[in-house]
Amino acid sequence: MAYKTDIEIAREANKKPIMEIGAKLGIGSEDLVPYGHDKAKVSQSFIESLADKPKGKLVLVTAINPTPAGEGKTTTTVGLGDGLNRIGRKTVVCIREASLGPNFGMKGGAAGGGYAQIVPMEDMNLHFTGDFHAITSAHNLLSAMIDNHIYWGNELEIDERRVTWKRVLDMNDRALRDVVTSLGGVANGFPRQTGFDITVASEVMAILCLSNDLKDLEKRLGDMIVAYRRDRTPIYARDLKADGAMTVLLKDAMQPNLVQTLENNPAFVHGGPFANIAHGCNSVIATTTALKLADYVVTEAGFGADLGAEKFMNIKCRKAGLAPDCVVLVATIRAMKMNGGTAKADLGQESVDAVKEGCANLGRHIGNLKSFGVPVVVAVNHFVTDTDAEVQAVQDYVATQGAEAIVSRHWEFGSEGSEPLARRVAEIAESGASQFAPLYKDELSLFEKIETVARRIYHADEVLADKKIRDQLKLWEDAGYGHLPVCMAKTQYSFTTDPSRRGAPTGHSVPVREVRLAAGAGFVVVVCGEIMTMPGLPSRPAAENIHLNEDGQIEGLF
């Protein structure tokens, strides 16, 4: 049987005018800023009017470590949101915006799949409402102001060798990782070595996603450290008087974007920090707004639970005062088999033994999530090639871990297929069983926080960090930054820093290559192993297959 592609299904969507979607949440047309007929921003004044309203239930969707077999975390997030609406729970889905770089690189689109999608799919995966362009412009304005300040006399005595602020671009471009600027003579400034990061790795992106309002945004932007003097004292963005203009550029980008699912249920799509080099969650303002407007909010965190969920709990929830009522851990039979040693080409063949062998990765994530005090449900994202025996093997294994695995067929049947999962999630969330607490306290030293995550989440034996890194952490503690959480930057494919090690490895070490202070965002980035803040394109990028057909429709996004 031939199935329609995601983009074919999205094109056939019976979308409702965005004003109708807003009305479902009690948002009047005067409080929506429309971007065409099917997307809009929610005004800041309306968000402020919700301050005294009670919050609904918060459900986090996370996943096992990603494999080439696919897990379908966003698809499950959307499907669960539709399923909760189907059983009478007023629900809003909250996810991140897609970055252009991965869309044209290896990943493709990021709006769900099958009959569990958010639309307009093409717009969301391309320019959308321009938020990422605004972040890129604000970031690069600061870059320009740094070089301009040096050019016109350097009153702040910036040490040109210690400018830490790079430039950004929302595209995968390895050629820009290391560059020299200001070549060409005196009129172009003082040559120095710098580079580009991808926009979603920008501290401005992290700040936008963690800020409560425009005032908070401007303060955090001003708190960013962009360079150091020769005596190692920091230069802040506010020293360059850049924070005000940056806030102006980000004024509209701070407003959450309202769109809809294929079943015409509301969804906020806002912000998009990477999960392996940033905190990987949609914006605090979108999540908290949704919680004031709905009975349930279903949100997701990037990549596997060892990265996205850990940062959701330890960074986003800590900073925003949030607490999940239930966590849904997404897995597929295909991914279990791949973790169990099955080659990708053989995933369509039944192999109960491989499923059982691969369940160790799933079990590790269940235990990790429970350590935060939250109840966990495993969602088996169903593929048509899954056999009853393979599914039963996963359900039997999960039962031994003190959790429950529920098959969800949202990809094929939409909310009808996710209804069993939705009913169980609602039961758990409404039972009040969650006793959420972050993994570590603010008072721990920065290195102790790194060790806590490495040992309790990655199950490593030790953290390897040389004296230079330990001394840097101590200096930040002495400067008043010791209370900050840590944002671990490592491969998403493994509990280790080696992307080829699947399953649930133990007896490994976590090498810390460098640490970076994101003073505005409010965390310390800990770079472990080989992590690139500017990705490159693969040998056959997705861009090669993206084009307009004869009817002017976009082909190749998936």
Side-chain angles (χ1 to χ4, degrees):
M1 178 179 175
Y3 289 91
K4 293 179 180 177
T5 64
D6 292 346
I7 202 163
E8 287 173 337
I9 294 170
R11 280 198 199 118
E12 295 172 358
N14 182 24
K15 290 184 291 186
K16 291 186 177 178
I18 199 62
M19 299 301 173
E20 289 187 31
I21 304 300
K24 283 187 174 186
L25 297 174
I27 309 174
S29 58
E30 68 278 7
D31 289 312
L32 289 173
V33 182
Y35 281 65
H37 302 292
D38 52 11
K39 51 192 177 294
K41 283 187 168 290
V42 181
S43 73
Q44 193 73 38
S45 58
F46 175 79
I47 293 170
E48 291 168 359
S49 74
L50 303 173
D52 297 327
K53 287 205 167 191
K55 293 178 182 176
K57 303 288 186 185
L58 180 61
V59 178
L60 172 67
V61 178
T62 184
I64 61 171
N65 292 99
T67 69
E71 286 68 53
K73 178 158 46 66
T74 304
T75 308
T76 304
T77 301
V78 178
L80 176 58
D82 282 339
L84 286 165
N85 276 301
R86 182 184 179 88
I87 64 172
R89 307 305 198 277
K90 185 178 178 183
T91 302
V92 176
V93 170
C94 287
I95 67 170
R96 294 176 296 166
E97 300 177 52
S99 169
L100 288 178
N103 284 351
F104 291 115
M106 186 179 295
K107 183 178 176 183
Y115 288 92
Q117 290 190 60
I118 294 176
V119 287
M121 183 258 223
E122 298 100 316
D123 290 358
M124 278 179 51
N125 285 316
L126 297 173
H127 302 285
F128 201 26
T129 58
D131 292 344
F132 283 21
H133 298 310
I135 291 165
T136 302
S137 296
H139 181 114
N140 290 336
L141 170 63
L142 177 55
S143 304
M145 290 180 73
I146 293 168
D147 285 320
N148 187 63
H149 182 88
I150 294 170
Y151 179 82
W152 289 108
N154 198 5
E155 183 181 346
L156 291 170
E157 298 181 351
I158 296 170
D159 184 346
E160 296 161 44
R161 302 166 303 172
R162 296 189 173 97
V163 176
T164 58
W165 195 255
K166 297 182 179 181
R167 286 166 167 80
V168 296
L169 186 71
D170 192 29
M171 196 57 61
N172 292 6
D173 192 347
R174 63 174 56 82
L176 295 178
R177 287 173 185 160
D178 244 319
V179 300
V180 177
T181 58
S182 302
L183 297 177
V186 174
N188 295 339
F190 298 89
R192 65 180 181 86
Q193 187 174 1
T194 180
F196 279 74
D197 291 333
I198 192 167
T199 296
V200 287
S202 168
E203 187 177 354
V204 178
M205 172 68 82
I207 285 173
L208 182 132
C209 290
L210 289 169
S211 297
N212 297 309
D213 50 38
L214 287 170
K215 186 176 180 181
D216 187 26
L217 174 74
E218 184 166 7
K219 180 191 179 301
R220 287 172 178 272
L221 292 172
D223 286 343
M224 293 187 303
I225 295 174
V226 299
Y228 293 86
R229 299 179 180 88
R230 287 181 180 268
D231 63 2
R232 305 296 179 91
T233 55
I235 304 288
Y236 297 92
R238 72 168 62 87
D239 295 331
L240 292 149
K241 299 181 175 60
D243 46 334
M246 293 174 74
T247 304
V248 169
L249 283 174
L250 295 169
K251 176 176 65 71
D252 293 337
M254 262 295 284
Q255 299 173 315
N257 305 300
L258 177 66
V259 283
Q260 61 191 291
T261 70
L262 289 175
E263 299 189 15
N264 309 122
N265 293 312
F268 284 138
V269 180
H270 193 222
F274 264 13
N276 54 355
I277 50 182
H279 67 289
C281 309
N282 74 292
S283 73
V284 164
I285 195 170
T287 303
T288 53
T289 299
L291 284 167
K292 298 294 183 72
L293 296 172
D295 301 326
Y296 277 79
V297 171
V298 182
T299 190
E300 69 174 9
F303 293 132
D306 58 317
L307 282 179
E310 182 269 310
K311 294 171 185 178
F312 178 89
M313 310 283 197
N314 282 325
I315 297 177
K316 182 174 179 176
C317 289
R318 186 192 304 267
K319 297 287 185 182
L322 300 173
D325 295 282
C326 180
V327 176
V328 176
L329 177 61
V330 180
T332 61
I333 300 300
R334 292 164 56 87
M336 292 299 93
K337 285 193 283 192
M338 189 161 250
N339 267 295
T342 301
K344 188 176 181 180
D346 300 326
L347 290 174
Q349 301 171 19
E350 183 181 79
S351 179
V352 175
D353 289 342
V355 169
K356 291 178 179 178
E357 185 71 23
C359 278
N361 186 268
L362 177 60
R364 172 73 60 80
H365 287 295
I366 293 172
N368 285 350
L369 291 168
K370 282 187 170 185
S371 70
F372 288 96
V374 293
V376 181
V377 177
V378 173
V380 180
N381 180 23
H382 186 262
F383 279 64
V384 293
T385 55
D386 298 347
T387 70
D388 291 344
E390 290 172 331
V391 171
Q392 191 63 53
V394 171
Q395 291 177 319
D396 291 344
Y397 174 82
V398 171
T400 68
Q401 305 300 303
E404 183 179 353
I406 299 173
V407 177
S408 189
R409 293 179 167 85
H410 45 272
W411 183 88
E412 190 174 3
F413 300 113
S415 64
E416 180 184 353
S418 63
E419 185 174 336
L421 176 65
R423 290 194 180 279
R424 186 66 185 119
V425 167
E427 285 175 9
I428 292 172
E430 289 162 16
S431 72
S434 179
Q435 301 292 321
F436 169 72
L439 202 62
Y440 51 78
K441 295 187 180 300
D442 292 344
E443 294 75 28
L444 280 183
S445 72
L446 292 172
F447 193 73
E448 286 174 322
K449 291 169 184 173
I450 296 169
E451 286 187 313
T452 300
V453 175
R455 287 181 171 147
R456 295 185 60 183
I457 301 297
Y458 308 153
H459 294 249
D461 284 352
E462 61 180 346
V463 174
L464 303 175
D466 61 27
K467 184 177 183 298
K468 181 180 178 183
I469 287 171
R470 291 171 187 257
D471 289 346
Q472 180 63 78
L473 294 173
K474 184 66 169 62
L475 284 172
W476 288 335
E477 288 169 357
D478 294 342
Y481 296 107
H483 66 286
L484 297 182
V486 293
C487 182
M488 306 293 283
K490 77 167 189 71
T491 178
Q492 63 268 34
Y493 299 113
S494 174
F495 280 106
T496 74
T497 57
D498 178 358
S500 67
R501 290 189 69 181
R502 295 200 177 102
T506 56
H508 58 97
S509 302
V510 175
V512 177
R513 198 177 85 229
E514 64 173 302
V515 287
R516 305 172 186 173
L517 175 59
F523 52 69
V524 172
V525 180
V526 182
V527 182
C528 307
E530 297 300 317
I531 289 294
M532 292 291 182
T533 51
M534 169 54 87
L537 292 171
S539 59
R540 297 188 68 84
E544 293 181 2
N545 299 313
I546 297 173
H547 62 278
L548 293 175
N549 64 23
E550 292 180 358
D551 297 322
Q553 296 172 318
I554 298 170
E555 299 284 357
L557 280 176
F558 56 91

